[in-house]
Amino acid sequence: MKFTFAPESKPLEGFTIKRAIDRGGFGEVYYALSDSGKEVALKLLQQNMDIELRGVTQCLNLKHPNLVTIFDVKTDRDGDHWVVMEYVSGQGLDKALHQCPNGMPMEQVRYWLSGISEGLAYLHSRGLVHRDLKPSNVFRDGDIIKIGDVGLSKFITHSRRSANTQSVGTVYYMAPEVARGRYGKEVDVYAVGVMVYEMITGVVPFDGESTAEILMKHLSQKPDLNRLPVHLRAVIGRALEKDPQKRIPDIKVFKQEFERALFQRETVTEIPDAAFETFAAVAAPLPHSSGNRQTSRVANNQSHWEYTTLLGPAVILILLLIGLLGATMASLGAGFPLFLALILMMLFCGAIVMTGAFGRLFFTKGIAAIVKGPPPISDFWDKGRETRDNLTEKEYREEKLEETRILREQEQKKAEGHRHRVGEQHRRKPYYQRSLTPRTPRSISHQSRIYDLSVSMVKAVICTLVIVFGIMCFTNGAISQGFWSGTDLTPAALLTYGTLVAAWSILLVSKLTEGKSFDNSTRRLIWLATGVFVGALIYLIQMDVLLASVPTSRDMHLGLRPLFNVIGPYSLILGDGQPSLIGYTVFFGMLSCFRRWWWHADSFRPRKFKVTSVLITVFVAYVITAVWAFPVVAALSWAAIISSVVQLSASWIPDEQRVVELKEAR
Amino acid sequence: MGFFTSASNDQRQVPGANSVAGASYLLWIDGVGTYLIYLQETLRIGGPGEPGTVGGLGSAWADLSLLANLSRHHASITRSGESYYLEAKAPVFCNRRPVNDRVLLTDQAELKLNTETVITFRQPTVLSASACLELTSFHQPQQRLDGIVLMADSCLLGASGENHVICHKWPGTVILYRQGDQVLCRSKLEIFANQEPASKGAVLTPGSLVSGPELRFRWEVVS
């Protein structure tokens, strides 16, 4: 690119040209320094000089951070006119668009639009229209967006992002009414609409081989809004209206509506995926409701939903606890201190259950409810009332709805087509859930199952021995007194073997069923059978192998009187307090059935070891012994140790490796 | 240091003057920008210098004096063979990790001086040990720069991303290289230095104007 003036030229007194910047439609632009070191841009007017001069002189005294400041207009010794302007060093929007051929991130779009709208609003408030807005006239200087080239001609040319402006609005960004010679500030709104369209999609709405073709499209063709996100179509569609009367009249209004459309969309989609299924019925778009309505419905109903959802399980849990408490008290005939202690223990266990079931929701929303108080009663009947503001808003939204309904229908058809395509793709291509849990169906090779099982079983032996040894060495309380005593270690051996049998059985069954889909009842039946088998095996070990008896068995019941001592004609407890075969099978069957052991041992469980799982298992064991007779100390010990051993020994894959494992398995 | 004022017409900038290599030069490239070509092994970076001592780019304490909230000598970048090390004299972060003493710089390393000033280190090509600094956070010296080249043996100017100075519209590459105390330029394009053919190599003297098809730049000594 050849320029007229070389570096170090001084065509204009007081300024030294250091280098050329670019060549525009009106002439060359140079970077120059004043004698005192002030950097400026010098624009040499070579073409359409009168028109440019007229525009520039109008804008000489405008001051706004989003407009490129014009310092002066000077004439050199040869009679050439120079515009002395603020030098803007940053990247132009044209280059930014060039870097994002498929459209910019929405944050960037908002950033550019914000600066452009501020600068334009200032111009419009001074009664001026830019008329030549295009990407090459918008710059980013540091953090500030600046609009340049305020001042224009009347010729139309085929130039897009190049700086060649000889027209009232470069043809790609030119409003249709400019061709008819009548225009106001709406032409700038139109140009901004085109630029925003281009920023989002990477292409201009009207393109063609020639200037005439593009002009014709501006005049007659509707812009293809399908390229835009659904929630932005209405607002950009209105900015690109052919009729300036129907077009958004003001740049600030355009920016506000753009932001509102964006905000509404973000509000709706920001609902977490997990919650979305639950909210689906509420948040699903009604056929004749607006996006605004959807958003507010979700927002209003959310807290109500949380309270009501929490209420049911909480009431059931409280009733269950009261029932258990009553049964226990009735069986014991206990005094007030024990009664209080039991209440506290049950509250504690209840809290654990609630935490497990509702987790963060329970604590965040539950505590928020306590702090803020319940939702106002008026919420329950005020939903239908509508204030005058609401009515206005409703009318407004209805109006917008009319404009966007056709687009919505088209979008629905398109979405259906897309869903169909995605479905097809999913059938052909493996799909991985964002969160992989034990419920995730997956194929695991037999070799892998056998290897994992072998490793887990070895680990189970080590863990069991360590735990039992730890209990023997470091406890001197109720457990040691109840389960074994003195130098007779046979009961301890029973505890060890029993734990091993149970842990191995659990590991075996869970490894065999891992990754397979079962309905809940089938799964529970499998586990019930496993528990019965484990109970019978432990009984056999106790009676036929170890020839042991649980010492001082009556103490191990802690004086509790369970609801059932017999099942039909069969007693759960033998004469000396020893659990019978039926007692063992019932206890282990129930423990196995009521706990999710497959979740304990699955390699996709959320965490390798959870103390809450152990505590819940202990609680379940306690409840079982309160209903069906079984030595409490033994029951609780076994429950805690088996739960710990299973979790510690079962294989576990961290979250980030699960997808890799799945892919490898495929 | 009068490269940004009319003093740039002083004796040092006259084409044909002594071509002894200075510490740094400015490249004024038409349609591209202004680049500092730094030849020394160590570049000291700091905040604004004492008024009146030195102007433009440097100060009495730093070779690159940024208009930013920095110490007078905040950090140094030192070339050692083909590697560059960042040495911290005040709070400096390299790729968001604090630098206690010295750290090896890698391509695209983000250097954060104090809390706001961000400079990106780039080594665009393995063919040259030279590196570039981009003033990412828009903190500039008194004289605005579009980039800094820490020139080891050569500096490439051209359209592709593997050049130290990217000149999008240029039809080819121009190579600046050191030979003894001199800096020369050559290119496969037909270029001229002070209207003398320079395609096969020509010494760049302060104030040299290099021109060719669709390209033109001026070489000015800073110090």
Short mmCIF file of all heavy atoms in Angstrom, two decimals, chain B residues 59-111:
data_model
loop_
_atom_site.label_atom_id
_atom_site.label_comp_id
_atom_site.label_asym_id
_atom_site.label_seq_id
_atom_site.Cartn_x
_atom_site.Cartn_y
_atom_site.Cartn_z
N SER B 59 13.85 5.00 31.52
CA SER B 59 14.04 5.95 32.60
C SER B 59 15.43 5.70 33.16
O SER B 59 16.17 4.86 32.63
CB SER B 59 12.98 5.76 33.68
OG SER B 59 13.26 4.58 34.39
N ALA B 60 15.75 6.41 34.22
CA ALA B 60 17.07 6.20 34.81
C ALA B 60 17.20 4.80 35.39
O ALA B 60 18.29 4.29 35.60
CB ALA B 60 17.31 7.24 35.89
N TRP B 61 16.04 4.15 35.67
CA TRP B 61 16.09 2.86 36.35
C TRP B 61 15.69 1.68 35.45
O TRP B 61 16.11 0.58 35.66
CB TRP B 61 15.16 2.87 37.57
CG TRP B 61 15.55 3.92 38.54
CD1 TRP B 61 16.53 3.85 39.47
CD2 TRP B 61 14.98 5.21 38.66
NE1 TRP B 61 16.60 5.02 40.15
CE2 TRP B 61 15.66 5.88 39.69
CE3 TRP B 61 13.95 5.89 37.98
CZ2 TRP B 61 15.35 7.17 40.08
CZ3 TRP B 61 13.64 7.16 38.37
CH2 TRP B 61 14.34 7.80 39.41
N ALA B 62 14.82 1.96 34.49
CA ALA B 62 14.31 0.85 33.67
C ALA B 62 14.52 1.13 32.20
O ALA B 62 14.50 2.29 31.77
CB ALA B 62 12.82 0.64 33.97
N ASP B 63 14.72 0.08 31.44
CA ASP B 63 14.84 0.23 30.00
C ASP B 63 13.48 0.41 29.35
O ASP B 63 13.34 1.05 28.32
CB ASP B 63 15.52 -1.01 29.40
CG ASP B 63 16.86 -1.26 30.05
OD1 ASP B 63 17.66 -0.32 30.14
OD2 ASP B 63 17.09 -2.41 30.51
N LEU B 64 12.48 -0.23 29.96
CA LEU B 64 11.12 -0.08 29.49
C LEU B 64 10.30 0.49 30.64
O LEU B 64 10.00 -0.20 31.61
CB LEU B 64 10.54 -1.44 29.06
CG LEU B 64 9.12 -1.41 28.52
CD1 LEU B 64 9.03 -0.59 27.25
CD2 LEU B 64 8.60 -2.82 28.28
N SER B 65 9.99 1.74 30.53
CA SER B 65 9.34 2.44 31.63
C SER B 65 7.86 2.61 31.30
O SER B 65 7.49 3.44 30.49
CB SER B 65 10.03 3.79 31.78
OG SER B 65 9.42 4.53 32.78
N LEU B 66 7.03 1.79 31.94
CA LEU B 66 5.60 1.80 31.62
C LEU B 66 4.85 2.80 32.50
O LEU B 66 5.21 3.00 33.66
CB LEU B 66 5.00 0.40 31.84
CG LEU B 66 5.56 -0.72 30.97
CD1 LEU B 66 4.99 -2.06 31.40
CD2 LEU B 66 5.23 -0.46 29.51
N LEU B 67 3.83 3.40 31.95
CA LEU B 67 2.97 4.28 32.75
C LEU B 67 2.01 3.39 33.53
O LEU B 67 0.86 3.17 33.14
CB LEU B 67 2.21 5.24 31.84
CG LEU B 67 3.08 6.24 31.06
CD1 LEU B 67 2.24 7.07 30.11
CD2 LEU B 67 3.83 7.15 32.01
N ALA B 68 2.54 2.82 34.59
CA ALA B 68 1.76 1.86 35.39
C ALA B 68 2.26 1.92 36.82
O ALA B 68 3.35 2.45 37.09
CB ALA B 68 1.92 0.45 34.84
N ASN B 69 1.47 1.37 37.71
CA ASN B 69 1.81 1.41 39.12
C ASN B 69 2.85 0.32 39.43
O ASN B 69 2.54 -0.73 39.98
CB ASN B 69 0.53 1.20 39.95
CG ASN B 69 0.80 1.37 41.42
OD1 ASN B 69 1.83 1.90 41.82
ND2 ASN B 69 -0.14 0.90 42.24
N LEU B 70 4.09 0.59 39.05
CA LEU B 70 5.16 -0.39 39.20
C LEU B 70 6.33 0.26 39.93
O LEU B 70 6.45 1.49 39.98
CB LEU B 70 5.65 -0.87 37.83
CG LEU B 70 4.62 -1.52 36.89
CD1 LEU B 70 5.30 -1.88 35.57
CD2 LEU B 70 4.02 -2.77 37.52
N SER B 71 7.19 -0.59 40.47
CA SER B 71 8.43 -0.07 41.04
C SER B 71 9.32 0.46 39.92
O SER B 71 9.13 0.13 38.75
CB SER B 71 9.17 -1.20 41.77
OG SER B 71 8.36 -1.70 42.79
N ARG B 72 10.32 1.24 40.33
CA ARG B 72 11.20 1.82 39.30
C ARG B 72 11.90 0.71 38.51
O ARG B 72 12.08 0.81 37.31
CB ARG B 72 12.24 2.71 39.98
CG ARG B 72 11.64 3.98 40.53
CD ARG B 72 12.59 4.59 41.52
NE ARG B 72 12.08 5.82 42.07
CZ ARG B 72 12.68 6.47 43.06
NH1 ARG B 72 13.76 5.99 43.60
NH2 ARG B 72 12.16 7.58 43.52
N HIS B 73 12.32 -0.29 39.22
CA HIS B 73 12.86 -1.47 38.55
C HIS B 73 12.06 -2.67 39.08
O HIS B 73 12.35 -3.20 40.14
CB HIS B 73 14.36 -1.64 38.85
CG HIS B 73 14.95 -2.84 38.17
ND1 HIS B 73 16.21 -3.30 38.46
CD2 HIS B 73 14.47 -3.66 37.21
CE1 HIS B 73 16.47 -4.36 37.71
NE2 HIS B 73 15.42 -4.60 36.95
N HIS B 74 11.05 -3.04 38.35
CA HIS B 74 10.09 -4.01 38.86
C HIS B 74 10.49 -5.45 38.51
O HIS B 74 10.31 -6.37 39.30
CB HIS B 74 8.71 -3.71 38.27
CG HIS B 74 7.58 -4.27 39.06
ND1 HIS B 74 6.87 -3.54 39.98
CD2 HIS B 74 7.05 -5.51 39.09
CE1 HIS B 74 5.95 -4.30 40.53
NE2 HIS B 74 6.03 -5.51 40.01
N ALA B 75 11.01 -5.62 37.32
CA ALA B 75 11.39 -6.98 36.87
C ALA B 75 12.39 -6.86 35.74
O ALA B 75 12.54 -5.79 35.13
CB ALA B 75 10.15 -7.74 36.41
N SER B 76 13.08 -7.96 35.50
CA SER B 76 14.02 -7.98 34.37
C SER B 76 13.77 -9.24 33.55
O SER B 76 13.42 -10.29 34.11
CB SER B 76 15.46 -8.03 34.87
OG SER B 76 15.74 -6.87 35.60
N ILE B 77 13.95 -9.10 32.26
CA ILE B 77 13.90 -10.29 31.40
C ILE B 77 15.30 -10.44 30.79
O ILE B 77 15.81 -9.51 30.16
CB ILE B 77 12.84 -10.14 30.30
CG1 ILE B 77 11.45 -10.09 30.96
CG2 ILE B 77 12.92 -11.29 29.32
CD1 ILE B 77 10.33 -9.84 29.99
N THR B 78 15.88 -11.60 31.02
CA THR B 78 17.26 -11.82 30.59
C THR B 78 17.31 -12.97 29.59
O THR B 78 16.70 -14.02 29.81
CB THR B 78 18.15 -12.17 31.81
OG1 THR B 78 17.97 -11.14 32.78
CG2 THR B 78 19.60 -12.26 31.43
N ARG B 79 18.05 -12.73 28.52
CA ARG B 79 18.24 -13.79 27.55
C ARG B 79 19.50 -14.57 27.91
O ARG B 79 20.54 -13.98 28.22
CB ARG B 79 18.38 -13.18 26.14
CG ARG B 79 18.56 -14.24 25.05
CD ARG B 79 18.51 -13.67 23.66
NE ARG B 79 19.43 -12.58 23.47
CZ ARG B 79 19.08 -11.33 23.22
NH1 ARG B 79 17.81 -11.01 23.12
NH2 ARG B 79 19.98 -10.37 23.06
N SER B 80 19.39 -15.90 27.90
CA SER B 80 20.54 -16.74 28.16
C SER B 80 20.54 -17.84 27.11
O SER B 80 19.76 -18.78 27.20
CB SER B 80 20.43 -17.32 29.58
OG SER B 80 21.45 -18.25 29.78
N GLY B 81 21.36 -17.69 26.12
CA GLY B 81 21.32 -18.63 24.99
C GLY B 81 20.01 -18.45 24.24
O GLY B 81 19.69 -17.36 23.79
N GLU B 82 19.23 -19.53 24.19
CA GLU B 82 17.93 -19.44 23.51
C GLU B 82 16.78 -19.33 24.50
O GLU B 82 15.62 -19.40 24.12
CB GLU B 82 17.74 -20.67 22.62
CG GLU B 82 18.74 -20.69 21.48
CD GLU B 82 18.43 -21.78 20.47
OE1 GLU B 82 17.61 -22.65 20.78
OE2 GLU B 82 19.02 -21.76 19.38
N SER B 83 17.14 -19.23 25.79
CA SER B 83 16.09 -19.16 26.81
C SER B 83 16.00 -17.76 27.40
O SER B 83 16.96 -16.99 27.34
CB SER B 83 16.41 -20.15 27.94
OG SER B 83 16.56 -21.44 27.42
N TYR B 84 14.84 -17.50 27.96
CA TYR B 84 14.62 -16.20 28.61
C TYR B 84 14.18 -16.45 30.04
O TYR B 84 13.38 -17.36 30.31
CB TYR B 84 13.54 -15.41 27.87
CG TYR B 84 14.01 -14.86 26.56
CD1 TYR B 84 14.04 -15.65 25.42
CD2 TYR B 84 14.46 -13.55 26.45
CE1 TYR B 84 14.48 -15.17 24.22
CE2 TYR B 84 14.92 -13.05 25.24
CZ TYR B 84 14.92 -13.86 24.12
OH TYR B 84 15.37 -13.37 22.93
N TYR B 85 14.71 -15.63 30.93
CA TYR B 85 14.37 -15.76 32.35
C TYR B 85 13.76 -14.45 32.83
O TYR B 85 14.21 -13.37 32.45
CB TYR B 85 15.61 -16.08 33.18
CG TYR B 85 16.16 -17.46 32.90
CD1 TYR B 85 17.13 -17.65 31.92
CD2 TYR B 85 15.69 -18.57 33.59
CE1 TYR B 85 17.62 -18.90 31.63
CE2 TYR B 85 16.18 -19.83 33.31
CZ TYR B 85 17.14 -20.01 32.33
OH TYR B 85 17.61 -21.26 32.06
N LEU B 86 12.75 -14.61 33.66
CA LEU B 86 12.12 -13.45 34.28
C LEU B 86 12.63 -13.36 35.71
O LEU B 86 12.55 -14.34 36.47
CB LEU B 86 10.60 -13.61 34.27
CG LEU B 86 9.81 -12.55 35.03
CD1 LEU B 86 9.89 -11.21 34.32
CD2 LEU B 86 8.36 -12.97 35.18
N GLU B 87 13.13 -12.21 36.06
CA GLU B 87 13.64 -12.03 37.41
C GLU B 87 12.78 -10.98 38.09
O GLU B 87 12.58 -9.88 37.54
CB GLU B 87 15.09 -11.56 37.34
CG GLU B 87 15.83 -11.71 38.64
CD GLU B 87 17.30 -11.31 38.49
OE1 GLU B 87 17.80 -11.25 37.35
OE2 GLU B 87 17.92 -11.05 39.51
N ALA B 88 12.25 -11.31 39.25
CA ALA B 88 11.33 -10.41 39.94
C ALA B 88 12.07 -9.55 40.95
O ALA B 88 12.88 -10.03 41.72
CB ALA B 88 10.25 -11.22 40.64
N LYS B 89 11.79 -8.28 40.92
CA LYS B 89 12.32 -7.35 41.93
C LYS B 89 11.20 -6.84 42.83
O LYS B 89 11.45 -6.17 43.82
CB LYS B 89 12.98 -6.15 41.25
CG LYS B 89 14.06 -6.53 40.26
CD LYS B 89 15.33 -6.92 40.96
CE LYS B 89 16.43 -7.18 39.94
NZ LYS B 89 17.60 -7.80 40.57
N ALA B 90 9.99 -7.08 42.42
CA ALA B 90 8.78 -6.64 43.13
C ALA B 90 7.72 -7.67 42.74
O ALA B 90 8.00 -8.57 41.97
CB ALA B 90 8.44 -5.23 42.68
N PRO B 91 6.48 -7.55 43.27
CA PRO B 91 5.48 -8.58 42.97
C PRO B 91 5.28 -8.83 41.48
O PRO B 91 4.90 -7.94 40.73
CB PRO B 91 4.21 -8.02 43.61
CG PRO B 91 4.70 -7.15 44.69
CD PRO B 91 5.99 -6.56 44.23
N VAL B 92 5.58 -10.05 41.08
CA VAL B 92 5.43 -10.45 39.68
C VAL B 92 4.82 -11.85 39.65
O VAL B 92 5.15 -12.69 40.49
CB VAL B 92 6.81 -10.49 38.96
CG1 VAL B 92 6.67 -11.04 37.56
CG2 VAL B 92 7.44 -9.12 38.92
N PHE B 93 3.92 -12.07 38.70
CA PHE B 93 3.31 -13.38 38.54
C PHE B 93 3.56 -13.86 37.12
O PHE B 93 3.44 -13.08 36.18
CB PHE B 93 1.80 -13.31 38.79
CG PHE B 93 1.45 -12.84 40.17
CD1 PHE B 93 1.40 -11.48 40.46
CD2 PHE B 93 1.19 -13.74 41.18
CE1 PHE B 93 1.11 -11.03 41.72
CE2 PHE B 93 0.89 -13.30 42.45
CZ PHE B 93 0.85 -11.95 42.73
N CYS B 94 3.92 -15.11 37.01
CA CYS B 94 4.10 -15.69 35.69
C CYS B 94 3.07 -16.80 35.55
O CYS B 94 3.08 -17.76 36.34
CB CYS B 94 5.51 -16.23 35.53
SG CYS B 94 5.80 -16.98 33.93
N ASN B 95 2.17 -16.66 34.60
CA ASN B 95 1.06 -17.61 34.44
C ASN B 95 0.33 -17.81 35.75
O ASN B 95 0.04 -18.92 36.18
CB ASN B 95 1.55 -18.94 33.89
CG ASN B 95 2.01 -18.83 32.46
OD1 ASN B 95 1.48 -18.02 31.70
ND2 ASN B 95 3.01 -19.58 32.09
N ARG B 96 0.08 -16.70 36.43
CA ARG B 96 -0.71 -16.63 37.67
C ARG B 96 0.02 -17.22 38.88
O ARG B 96 -0.58 -17.38 39.93
CB ARG B 96 -2.08 -17.29 37.51
CG ARG B 96 -2.90 -16.61 36.44
CD ARG B 96 -4.26 -17.19 36.32
NE ARG B 96 -4.99 -16.53 35.24
CZ ARG B 96 -6.21 -16.83 34.89
NH1 ARG B 96 -6.86 -17.74 35.55
NH2 ARG B 96 -6.80 -16.21 33.91
N ARG B 97 1.26 -17.59 38.72
CA ARG B 97 2.02 -18.08 39.86
C ARG B 97 3.04 -17.03 40.27
O ARG B 97 3.73 -16.48 39.40
CB ARG B 97 2.74 -19.37 39.50
CG ARG B 97 1.79 -20.52 39.31
CD ARG B 97 2.55 -21.77 39.03
NE ARG B 97 1.63 -22.90 38.88
CZ ARG B 97 1.99 -24.11 38.53
NH1 ARG B 97 3.25 -24.36 38.29
NH2 ARG B 97 1.11 -25.08 38.41
N PRO B 98 3.14 -16.76 41.54
CA PRO B 98 4.08 -15.73 41.96
C PRO B 98 5.52 -16.14 41.66
O PRO B 98 5.89 -17.31 41.79
CB PRO B 98 3.84 -15.61 43.47
CG PRO B 98 3.09 -16.82 43.85
CD PRO B 98 2.38 -17.33 42.66
N VAL B 99 6.29 -15.16 41.25
CA VAL B 99 7.70 -15.41 40.96
C VAL B 99 8.50 -14.88 42.14
O VAL B 99 8.47 -13.70 42.44
CB VAL B 99 8.13 -14.69 39.67
CG1 VAL B 99 9.60 -14.92 39.39
CG2 VAL B 99 7.29 -15.17 38.50
N ASN B 100 9.20 -15.77 42.81
CA ASN B 100 9.97 -15.34 43.97
C ASN B 100 11.33 -14.80 43.57
O ASN B 100 11.79 -13.82 44.09
CB ASN B 100 10.15 -16.51 44.94
CG ASN B 100 8.83 -16.93 45.53
OD1 ASN B 100 7.98 -16.07 45.80
ND2 ASN B 100 8.63 -18.21 45.73
N ASP B 101 11.93 -15.47 42.61
CA ASP B 101 13.27 -15.03 42.25
C ASP B 101 13.43 -15.00 40.73
O ASP B 101 13.43 -13.96 40.11
CB ASP B 101 14.28 -15.99 42.91
CG ASP B 101 15.69 -15.58 42.63
OD1 ASP B 101 15.90 -14.37 42.45
OD2 ASP B 101 16.57 -16.46 42.58
N ARG B 102 13.47 -16.18 40.14
CA ARG B 102 13.78 -16.27 38.72
C ARG B 102 12.95 -17.41 38.13
O ARG B 102 12.76 -18.44 38.77
CB ARG B 102 15.27 -16.60 38.58
CG ARG B 102 15.93 -16.19 37.32
CD ARG B 102 17.43 -16.10 37.54
NE ARG B 102 18.11 -15.67 36.33
CZ ARG B 102 18.80 -16.48 35.55
NH1 ARG B 102 18.93 -17.75 35.87
NH2 ARG B 102 19.39 -16.02 34.47
N VAL B 103 12.45 -17.20 36.93
CA VAL B 103 11.66 -18.25 36.32
C VAL B 103 11.93 -18.28 34.82
O VAL B 103 12.16 -17.24 34.21
CB VAL B 103 10.14 -18.05 36.63
CG1 VAL B 103 9.62 -16.81 35.94
CG2 VAL B 103 9.32 -19.24 36.24
N LEU B 104 11.90 -19.48 34.28
CA LEU B 104 12.12 -19.64 32.84
C LEU B 104 10.83 -19.29 32.11
O LEU B 104 9.75 -19.75 32.47
CB LEU B 104 12.51 -21.10 32.53
CG LEU B 104 12.69 -21.46 31.06
CD1 LEU B 104 13.93 -20.80 30.50
CD2 LEU B 104 12.78 -22.97 30.89
N LEU B 105 10.95 -18.49 31.07
CA LEU B 105 9.76 -18.07 30.33
C LEU B 105 9.51 -19.01 29.16
O LEU B 105 10.43 -19.44 28.47
CB LEU B 105 9.93 -16.65 29.81
CG LEU B 105 9.96 -15.57 30.89
CD1 LEU B 105 10.24 -14.22 30.26
CD2 LEU B 105 8.64 -15.52 31.64
N THR B 106 8.24 -19.33 28.97
CA THR B 106 7.86 -20.17 27.83
C THR B 106 6.94 -19.37 26.91
O THR B 106 6.42 -18.32 27.32
CB THR B 106 7.12 -21.42 28.31
OG1 THR B 106 6.04 -21.00 29.15
CG2 THR B 106 8.04 -22.34 29.08
N ASP B 107 6.74 -19.89 25.72
CA ASP B 107 5.89 -19.20 24.75
C ASP B 107 4.50 -18.97 25.33
O ASP B 107 3.93 -19.84 25.99
CB ASP B 107 5.80 -20.05 23.47
CG ASP B 107 5.07 -19.32 22.37
OD1 ASP B 107 5.15 -18.08 22.33
OD2 ASP B 107 4.41 -19.99 21.56
N GLN B 108 3.97 -17.79 25.10
CA GLN B 108 2.63 -17.38 25.56
C GLN B 108 2.54 -17.24 27.08
O GLN B 108 1.44 -17.28 27.63
CB GLN B 108 1.55 -18.38 25.08
CG GLN B 108 1.42 -18.52 23.58
CD GLN B 108 0.94 -17.26 22.89
OE1 GLN B 108 0.38 -16.38 23.52
NE2 GLN B 108 1.20 -17.16 21.61
N ALA B 109 3.69 -17.07 27.73
CA ALA B 109 3.64 -16.86 29.19
C ALA B 109 3.01 -15.50 29.47
O ALA B 109 3.31 -14.51 28.81
CB ALA B 109 5.04 -16.93 29.76
N GLU B 110 2.13 -15.49 30.48
CA GLU B 110 1.46 -14.24 30.85
C GLU B 110 2.16 -13.67 32.08
O GLU B 110 2.16 -14.30 33.13
CB GLU B 110 -0.01 -14.52 31.15
CG GLU B 110 -0.81 -13.28 31.41
CD GLU B 110 -2.19 -13.61 31.95
OE1 GLU B 110 -2.30 -13.79 33.18
OE2 GLU B 110 -3.12 -13.71 31.16
N LEU B 111 2.78 -12.52 31.93
CA LEU B 111 3.51 -11.92 33.03
C LEU B 111 2.64 -10.81 33.62
O LEU B 111 2.21 -9.90 32.91
CB LEU B 111 4.83 -11.31 32.55
CG LEU B 111 5.63 -12.11 31.52
CD1 LEU B 111 6.89 -11.37 31.15
CD2 LEU B 111 5.97 -13.48 32.08
#
